[in-house]
Amino acid sequence: YDEIADNANIEGVSYAFRWSMLEGDTRGDYSAGFALLHAELDKLESLAIPKRLIIRMNTIAYGKTCPAKTHFPSYVINNGWLFETSSCIIKFWEAAPTEAYIDLLNAYAAEFDDEPYFEGIYLIRETAPGWQGRPVAPDFSPSAYISNMERIVAAAGAAFEKTNAVQSLNYLGTQNDVNEHMAYIFSRGVGHGAPDLLPEKCADRAPVQSDISYLGLSGGVEDWRGTLPSIRSIEVTQMGLNLGDCTPSQLYDYGNHTIKASHILWQRNTFAGTAAQQWPAILKFIQTNPVTNTACPKMYTQGCESR
């Protein structure tokens, strides 16, 4: 944070919080999480040029075997709400963990929604269940999973009245499932996010289902650009790792000019790809390539406040 304190081209930071960082081992104990988030905001507001905070709820323990004790509160583990695929994931197709997670979101909305430097929240890490070619959970229900994703969206849309709440949507069953979910998040006042920005020119797995839907390319669906706020993430996976070998220019062009994102989050890459894909080069690139989609998204019918 001190490194970017006086950099006017960086307007905020994004941080991925594990469930265990925000809720204690006893359900409903958010005291340590509240203190942590207040400390982050206090630090960011104290900088020479204050920065805003977007939190990303890290609901998947990537590459970890369950119970992944550092990622989830013990009550989540003890209730058997986790399933192991290539990673350790939450059984969001079940009602109980979904309800506990909604309680968490409601609590943080009540505590931080009035905080002007609390810029946004990714509701989940990603909508793809994460089977990745591995056996599907025997009790998995696609319809129940989508229904519970909608419950999370509806609750967050009602709770976060001033904060950009976005659904991190990438894959969700069929393309039509994604199209319908995109329309649903709009109906609940929630925006669009995604765990990866994947330009076709330089990335694998592109375009993802949610981009096809968001850009109105799925036949008869709406082009959501300019209507939904879109908070998009550029990660090391696109800068020389398993999802692509993209340059900052290619990523920026797709995010700013094609997706027309309202926010672009650049991971502080210090280890992947070439020097041109790492943080010193990214930082230099950002200086002359700002996000230009600054109009208030049409979804916010009461307008946007610049604070």
Side-chain angles (χ1 to χ4, degrees):
Y1 292 171
D2 291 335
E3 180 186 65
I4 60 169
D6 58 358
N7 190 322
N9 296 291
I10 296 177
E11 298 190 46
V13 302
S14 171
Y15 194 87
F17 289 90
R18 300 171 179 174
W19 191 342
S20 59
M21 299 167 71
L22 300 177
E23 185 174 15
D25 289 330
T26 301
R27 182 170 175 174
D29 178 10
Y30 309 113
S31 55
F34 284 175
L36 173 62
L37 221 57
H38 278 298
E40 294 290 314
L41 288 162
D42 289 345
K43 173 66 175 180
L44 291 168
E45 290 183 53
S46 74
L47 299 178
I49 300 177
K51 309 299 181 190
R52 303 171 193 276
L53 178 66
I54 293 175
I55 72 172
R56 305 182 70 189
M57 306 299 283
N58 199 359
T59 51
I60 299 174
Y62 286 104
K64 304 294 184 182
T65 56
C66 293
K69 293 181 179 180
T70 60
H71 286 69
F72 306 105
S74 62
Y75 84 88
V76 171
I77 297 169
N78 294 338
N79 280 317
W81 292 347
L82 303 175
F83 183 79
E84 188 174 319
T85 61
S86 58
S87 302
C88 187
I89 65 174
I90 301 166
K91 295 181 179 180
F92 276 133
W93 55 93
E94 294 184 359
T98 304
E99 290 163 2
Y101 193 69
I102 288 172
D103 287 348
L104 171 75
L105 293 174
N106 284 335
Y108 277 81
E111 183 75 10
F112 294 101
D113 194 43
D114 285 327
E115 165 57 61
Y117 283 88
F118 186 48
E119 178 75 4
I121 178 171
Y122 266 53
L123 301 181
I124 59 172
R125 179 65 176 86
E126 60 174 299
T127 51
W131 310 128
Q132 297 177 321
R134 289 169 170 77
V136 175
D139 60 344
F140 178 73
S141 164
S143 61
Y145 182 73
I146 292 173
S147 177
N148 285 338
M149 288 294 104
E150 291 181 350
R151 291 179 63 196
I152 290 170
V153 165
F160 290 100
E161 297 181 347
K162 302 175 184 179
T163 303
N164 293 291
V166 300
Q167 178 75 322
S168 185
L169 176 61
N170 53 352
Y171 297 96
L172 187 68
T174 67
Q175 184 63 55
N176 190 59
D177 290 332
V178 172
N179 296 345
E180 291 180 353
H181 198 62
M182 192 76 72
Y184 185 82
I185 66 176
F186 165 71
S187 74
R188 293 294 185 247
V190 168
H192 171 240
D196 301 292
L197 191 69
L198 298 171
E200 287 188 74
K201 292 180 180 179
C202 59
D204 299 332
R205 305 184 195 175
V208 297
Q209 285 179 331
S210 66
D211 282 359
I212 292 170
S213 182
Y214 184 76
L215 296 171
L217 301 177
S218 186
V221 300
E222 184 168 347
D223 183 337
W224 294 103
R225 289 174 291 184
T227 298
L228 293 174
S230 184
I231 302 179
R232 299 303 301 268
S233 177
I234 296 172
E235 305 188 11
V236 295
T237 50
Q238 297 106 70
M239 294 184 283
L241 291 185
N242 59 308
L243 294 185
D245 192 23
C246 303
T247 66
S249 180
Q250 288 172 317
L251 292 161
Y252 169 81
D253 183 63
Y254 185 66
N256 190 63
H257 300 305
T258 300
I259 295 294
K260 299 187 183 298
S262 55
H263 303 67
I264 295 179
L265 316 179
W266 293 85
Q267 188 165 0
R268 191 179 180 279
N269 177 23
T270 60
F271 63 91
T274 65
Q277 295 164 309
Q278 294 184 0
W279 182 241
I282 292 169
L283 188 58
K284 183 177 180 180
F285 180 84
I286 290 171
Q287 311 294 53
T288 54
N289 293 277
V291 173
T292 59
N293 308 301
T294 56
C296 183
K298 296 174 185 176
M299 183 179 80
Y300 296 144
T301 55
Q302 293 179 311
C304 295
E305 186 179 322
S306 61
R307 288 192 309 136

